Amino acid sequence: MSVSVVIPCYRSARTLPTLVNRLTSVLHDLSVPHEVILVVDGSPDDTWKVAEELAHQAGPVRAILLSRNYGQHNALVAGIREAAFQVVVTMDDDLQHLPEQIPLLLAAIEGDHLDLVYGVPHDEEHGFLRSLASRTVKACMARALGIRSARTISAFRAFRTHLRDGFKELAGPHVCVDVALSWATTQVGSVEVRMNKRVDGRSNYTPRLLLRHAANMLLGYSAAPLRAASYLGFLVGVLGLLLGGIVLWRFARGDTTVAGYTTIASMVALFSSAQLTAIGVLGEYIGRIHGSGMGRPAYLVCQRVGSSGSVEVHRPPDGAMLRPRAGVVAGSGER
């Protein structure tokens, strides 16, 4: 088994040196061919300068600079497409995901014959609102997108590199790696991992951005909002019939002789709201089709440092097992 570790980087100039040092130490101990790919997502600080220095100094490290900030998932896709080895591991750049836990992911892939494994933290290290927003996003993916493993999804994942062939045509600004991976396999598992608190700065994923991400997934990868608009129209129609029946019944009984302004105004407002909601959903879909037609790229690479050809390779003897540090479980035998 050979491993490519892909890390999207944004405002992480202080954490990258420590992260890369720990990563290379863990991967050396595993005695597997490996590389570390740092994808700098248009970070405004010195992240690119640090990543470039690490690519020159830290052995099997490659640095990729995107022309602007495209978002975490777009940066991940850029790194995944650059990966040269059999298994891709993705992780955050803030030291919350522990490099020492990578052998657990690799062991699960190899030992359980899985294609995709998520590292699920024992305890969430985020606040209440952030955790609630994250659970909302996962619920949307599970119900609307039909991804059964959605509730175990995390940014700390490992998967077989050939899965990227299932989304090689993926383009546009609204990219979601987990949805794309769900297109390629159903052999998905998870393992519990430890997760540290963020050591520097704060997360760029606010509850608002997480909910926006959920909306992007629903509108970009599912027809559920269109169905919801149809259901809304049906329910409003039933409600309109009920209101009409009530008005006719009261008129027949002589309870009213003049059509009530309140009833009419309420019905007009109700139907107008349903129509505007449906038009808004249709407009979102049409806007995305228009955006795709313009050919807007998912990302643009403007500079690379290092190459897969210069990656230092450490190959284990034939038939050898993965050899992690003491206390870390590993799998056996390549699939």
Side-chain angles (χ1 to χ4, degrees):
M1 182 182 292
S2 54
V3 182
S4 297
V5 181
V6 176
I7 307 172
C9 307
Y10 187 80
R11 295 186 183 274
S12 52
R14 295 182 182 180
T15 57
L16 275 185
T18 301
L19 175 59
V20 169
N21 287 337
R22 289 169 59 181
L23 264 175
T24 53
S25 176
V26 169
L27 295 172
H28 273 292
D29 287 351
L30 286 176
S31 297
V32 295
H34 62 270
E35 64 179 348
V36 177
I37 303 175
L38 307 175
V39 185
V40 180
D41 188 24
S43 182
D45 62 357
D46 292 331
T47 299
W48 170 246
K49 181 179 179 181
V50 173
E52 189 177 19
E53 291 175 356
L54 289 170
H56 285 304
Q57 300 171 4
V61 177
R62 301 160 59 193
I64 298 171
L65 176 63
L66 303 187
S67 61
R68 56 178 291 269
N69 178 249
Y70 287 94
Q72 183 185 39
H73 284 259
N74 299 64
L76 277 172
V77 171
I80 290 167
R81 287 174 175 166
E82 298 277 343
F85 291 141
Q86 294 173 321
V87 173
V88 174
V89 174
T90 68
M91 61 192 304
D92 289 343
D93 58 350
D94 54 10
L95 293 175
Q96 286 190 285
H97 297 151
L98 303 179
E100 293 77 14
Q101 302 285 285
I102 288 177
L104 296 177
L105 302 182
L106 301 181
I109 280 187
E110 192 173 21
D112 297 336
H113 304 293
L114 298 172
D115 291 327
L116 169 62
V117 174
Y118 288 103
V120 181
H122 290 286
D123 301 301
E124 288 284 352
E125 295 294 339
H126 307 297
F128 172 77
L129 289 178
R130 166 72 189 276
S131 298
L132 178 63
S134 179
R135 287 192 289 269
T136 301
V137 171
K138 293 177 181 179
C140 288
M141 295 179 69
R143 291 174 179 262
L145 303 179
I147 302 177
R148 289 177 294 177
S149 60
R151 298 189 186 279
T152 62
I153 282 176
S154 77
F156 193 28
R157 57 176 84 78
F159 60 90
R160 299 185 186 274
T161 305
H162 68 80
L163 296 185
R164 68 185 175 190
D165 293 339
F167 52 92
K168 61 183 178 182
E169 302 297 332
L170 190 65
H174 306 294
V175 172
C176 179
V177 171
D178 298 300
V179 174
L181 288 171
S182 74
W183 298 343
T185 184
T186 57
Q187 302 300 314
V188 182
S190 63
V191 294
E192 286 195 346
V193 297
R194 289 186 294 111
M195 183 174 173
N196 277 352
K197 292 183 178 180
R198 191 180 181 97
V199 298
D200 183 70
R202 61 181 183 180
S203 174
N204 295 301
Y205 266 100
T206 62
R208 175 177 170 272
L209 287 179
L210 281 171
L211 292 176
R212 181 180 175 184
H213 180 54
N216 284 336
M217 287 190 297
L218 285 174
L219 294 170
Y221 297 93
S222 171
L226 290 174
R227 288 194 295 268
S230 299
Y231 296 151
L232 177 62
F234 176 77
L235 290 175
V236 169
V238 171
L239 182 57
L241 289 175
L242 290 176
L243 289 174
I246 292 173
V247 170
L248 290 174
W249 174 254
R250 294 184 63 185
F251 180 79
R253 291 185 58 184
D255 293 341
T256 180
T257 57
V258 180
Y261 172 78
T262 303
T263 302
I264 294 175
S266 300
M267 292 180 65
V268 170
L270 192 63
F271 280 99
S272 298
S273 175
Q275 290 173 343
L276 289 174
T277 300
I279 291 172
V281 172
L282 289 172
E284 285 286 343
Y285 277 92
I286 293 172
R288 287 168 183 269
I289 294 171
H290 174 64
S292 300
M294 290 190 298
R296 184 177 174 183
Y299 60 87
L300 180 63
V301 176
C302 67
Q303 192 172 348
R304 291 180 175 86
V305 176
S307 66
S308 58
S310 64
V311 171
E312 184 181 358
V313 174
H314 304 275
R315 297 189 180 278
D318 292 339
M321 297 173 63
L322 294 176
R323 296 191 294 274
R325 289 181 172 180
V328 180
V329 180
S332 62
E334 187 175 0
R335 180 180 171 184

